[in-house]
Amino acid sequence: MVEPTGYDLLLKGGRVICPATGVDGVRDVAIRGGRIAAVADAILPTSAAQTVDVAGKLVLPGLIDTHGHIYQYVTGRFGLDPDMVGVRSGVTTVVDQGGPSCMTLPGFRHFIAERSETNVLCFLSAYLVGGLEGHFYPNLYSPDGVDIDATVRSAVANRDLVRGIKGHAEIGGFARWGIKVMEMAAEIARRAEVPLYVHFGQLWGLPESGANGEDADTILERVIPLLKEGDVLAHPFTRHPGGFVNAEGELHHVLQAAIDRGLTVDVGHGSHFSYRLAKMALAAGVVPHTLGADMHGYNTQVPEIPAPAGTPEEHADDENHPFKGQARFSLTQAMSSMMTLGLPLDYVVKMVTTHPAKMLGMEDSLGSLAVGRVADVSVLDDVRGRFVLRDNEDYRVIAERLLQPSFCLRAGKRFDADSPILPQAIAA
């Protein structure tokens, strides 16, 4: 029994899973001064100013969402409130993927990162325009819209915030400009010495001139040679052309060799996600390393918050556009999906803690409940039963375990999981 030492908060009796420290079992976690003060079998409740009974819940290192879109207002309907995606959804760190650019990063730092309760990081856009609803304006993303030197300078000068570069390898861009933009993005990431996060699967519609000789199924194998160890292949389970599974339903033969030489895979769930293709890729041995939710204003229902005035009401191809979202999801529901697809809980926890901490080069500060670390803690309900999960192909699976956020601590401060965008459980 740990003797009284004046803790601020005690989380008592939960199942603590911390891959970084090798802990998996019922433990008590004590917080003092916004840091982890003790993790032990039994800590006296009288030793803390406040005790919270978390028996039956999972107590995890603060969840890290590797793929968010949270540059609110600047990216139009795309950008969500960072705390709605973050601490109010039980997630302590959110990485914005490609919202800010070298031109708009100062605004992202001042108005988003510095003002959010959530720990906010970003992968800087390779494009000068960043994430300015570019799915409506693909010509903004041409090679002429990339400044390699300026983007490298911005990334290097803001290493505390910028943890990588975001680029897109998809048929709409290749039909317009070929591989040039991806070559430029890879050069930026090499020179800045940070990971490149690469979107695969169609993003933009084809130009009026069509595919111009490009084939979506060749993009992945042409891009991979540009990439270095630590770079990230995103959207492995995309339902759109150009992903990990080709038009013949076969996994690209170059993937295993790419993973073997140190490239990693991020789920990048979003509205791209397909259970059907996930089953095929997992069966072929492709297991993602990290799990980003990829929530944004086009695939997430935000109650009572209208689209910004003046933004397009709908896509011209509204029934088929790649951002259309019908099935509600979240990072914890994506964790449930991974478990339903056969990945064990302990590995899924790594996908949102230790693995993304390594991806970000922040193993010394994120993804661990080690004593002395900042007290970023996510507490989840582990609900048993039969629940329907579906994707945007309306493919349905039955989950027997559903992870739902209860609350989190960000630097020791408590936030209840009251985000209006969290999906509700649907009983089977």
Side-chain angles (χ1 to χ4, degrees):
M1 185 74 71
V2 175
E3 295 301 318
T5 53
Y7 301 124
D8 301 323
L9 177 66
L10 177 62
L11 303 178
K12 190 155 189 66
R15 179 183 174 185
V16 176
I17 306 177
C18 179
T21 59
V23 174
D24 185 350
V26 176
R27 300 286 193 280
D28 297 344
V29 179
I31 313 298
R32 185 196 299 118
R35 292 186 176 272
I36 305 294
V39 179
D41 291 339
I43 301 174
L44 288 172
T46 54
S47 68
Q50 180 184 8
T51 297
V52 179
D53 181 0
V54 291
K57 300 180 187 290
L58 302 180
V59 180
L60 311 177
L63 302 185
I64 304 168
D65 187 342
T66 55
H67 192 143
H69 293 282
I70 54 172
Y71 202 168
Q72 192 177 23
Y73 303 119
V74 171
T75 55
R77 202 184 310 181
F78 227 68
L80 296 173
D81 179 301
D83 289 334
M84 193 163 57
V85 178
V87 290
R88 294 179 61 196
S89 291
V91 177
T92 59
T93 296
V94 178
V95 183
D96 186 290
Q97 280 294 342
S101 72
C102 63
M103 294 196 304
T104 64
L105 183 64
F108 184 82
R109 178 185 290 278
H110 181 68
F111 292 107
I112 304 299
E114 293 180 355
R115 300 190 184 191
S116 299
E117 299 282 5
T118 307
N119 181 35
V120 169
L121 302 166
C122 72
F123 272 44
L124 197 65
S125 177
Y127 320 96
L128 292 171
V129 296
L132 303 185
E133 294 202 292
H135 52 296
F136 283 111
Y137 313 107
N139 287 334
L140 295 174
Y141 294 79
S142 74
D144 291 338
V146 179
D147 187 325
I148 293 173
D149 291 340
T151 306
V152 170
R153 282 196 305 272
S154 181
V156 170
N158 294 276
R159 289 200 185 278
D160 63 320
L161 184 59
V162 177
R163 309 309 299 181
I165 302 298
K166 173 72 179 293
H168 300 89
E170 56 81 55
I171 186 63
F174 271 55
R176 290 170 171 84
W177 317 297
I179 201 170
K180 178 64 175 175
V181 174
M182 276 309 308
E183 292 172 338
M184 299 171 83
E187 182 179 347
I188 291 167
R190 280 196 304 272
R191 286 174 50 185
E193 298 181 331
V194 293
L196 176 63
Y197 186 103
V198 186
H199 169 112
F200 289 99
Q202 186 165 358
L203 176 68
W204 294 300
L206 295 176
E208 291 184 5
S209 53
N212 294 323
E214 294 285 352
D215 180 353
D217 277 343
T218 69
I219 290 175
L220 189 139
E221 56 197 59
R222 291 164 61 195
V223 168
I224 281 178
L226 300 175
L227 306 181
K228 64 185 184 306
E229 181 179 353
D231 287 349
V232 185
L233 312 175
H235 306 304
F237 308 144
T238 180
R239 60 193 171 100
H240 301 303
F244 281 25
V245 178
N246 65 22
E248 282 70 49
E250 300 170 342
L251 194 76
H252 280 281
H253 67 281
V254 296
L255 281 167
Q256 192 57 57
I259 293 169
D260 290 346
R261 70 176 176 89
L263 275 67
T264 67
V265 179
D266 184 79
V267 171
H269 188 290
S271 50
H272 311 268
F273 179 81
S274 163
Y275 284 113
R276 175 178 58 86
L277 293 173
K279 288 181 177 182
M280 294 170 61
L282 289 167
V286 172
V287 180
H289 302 84
T290 55
L291 176 57
D294 188 12
M295 303 182 76
H296 53 70
Y298 284 90
N299 66 16
T300 303
Q301 298 174 15
V302 185
E304 300 178 1
I305 299 180
T311 57
E313 291 297 321
E314 59 185 18
H315 289 256
D317 56 346
D318 195 57
E319 290 305 310
N320 299 301
H321 78 76
F323 295 118
K324 190 174 182 66
Q326 299 175 23
R328 298 186 68 179
F329 62 97
S330 65
L331 184 62
T332 49
Q333 185 143 315
M335 293 171 68
S336 305
S337 292
M338 295 301 104
M339 293 167 62
T340 303
L341 287 165
L343 297 182
L345 173 62
D346 60 345
Y347 184 81
V348 174
V349 171
K350 291 178 181 178
M351 293 174 75
V352 291
T353 59
T354 50
H355 289 184
K358 182 178 180 180
M359 166 187 157
L360 298 166
M362 300 181 74
E363 303 100 313
D364 60 345
S365 58
L366 296 178
S368 173
L369 296 178
V371 172
R373 290 290 188 93
V374 170
D376 286 357
V377 185
S378 293
V379 179
L380 310 184
D381 292 316
D382 186 0
V383 184
R384 309 302 174 98
R386 288 177 58 81
F387 307 96
V388 178
L389 302 178
R390 70 183 183 96
D391 61 22
N392 282 313
E393 294 180 319
D394 205 25
Y395 189 105
R396 302 178 183 220
V397 299
I398 301 299
E400 296 183 349
R401 297 178 75 175
L402 197 62
L403 302 182
Q404 295 181 310
S406 177
F407 65 92
C408 71
L409 306 179
R410 165 68 187 127
K413 181 177 179 181
R414 176 171 173 158
F415 297 90
D416 290 333
D418 62 359
S419 176
I421 61 177
L422 288 169
Q424 299 298 311
I426 301 173

